[in-house]
Amino acid sequence: MNDRAVNVLEQYDIAVSRTFKGRGTIICETDQGMCVLKEYRGKTEKLELLNKLQEKAADSIRTDTLIRNKEGGLSVKDIDGCGYI
């Protein structure tokens, strides 16, 4: 993952105060808490299913959740067409 991937954060409705590199991710301090930006190469349908499962599990256990972008999608693309969640 490269630093150009940080530009995709503008596609989310969050205010990022700082970023730093993790293992294959970019970790972000935001106004909504800590978030992780990660490259994603899978299908959009799989993300929708994963999001539904995470929402149901969140009622009983703490779990990660996907953040929707400004357009309502679960993934974003950079200028090279690489997908991120």
Side-chain angles (χ1 to χ4, degrees):
M1 183 176 299
N2 55 36
D3 292 328
R4 290 183 297 145
V6 175
N7 293 333
V8 302
L9 292 170
E10 296 171 357
Q11 298 178 43
Y12 289 99
D13 193 21
I14 57 175
V16 179
S17 57
R18 84 178 182 131
T19 62
F20 48 97
K21 292 182 180 182
R23 292 183 179 169
T25 64
I26 295 178
I27 303 167
C28 310
E29 282 186 19
T30 73
D31 59 338
Q32 297 180 11
M34 299 294 281
C35 296
V36 175
L37 181 67
K38 179 179 175 180
E39 189 173 333
Y40 180 74
R41 296 184 182 172
K43 296 182 179 182
T44 306
E45 296 84 16
K46 184 177 176 182
L47 282 178
E48 291 293 342
L49 177 61
L50 178 62
N51 189 50
K52 287 179 185 178
L53 289 172
Q54 288 173 335
E55 287 174 351
K56 287 187 179 191
D59 292 339
S60 56
I61 60 173
R62 292 182 66 190
T63 181
D64 294 338
T65 56
L66 294 171
I67 298 175
R68 293 199 178 268
N69 59 28
K70 291 179 181 178
E71 297 175 356
L74 290 171
S75 66
V76 295
K77 293 196 183 283
D78 67 1
I79 57 173
D80 295 332
C82 189
Y84 293 90
I85 56 173

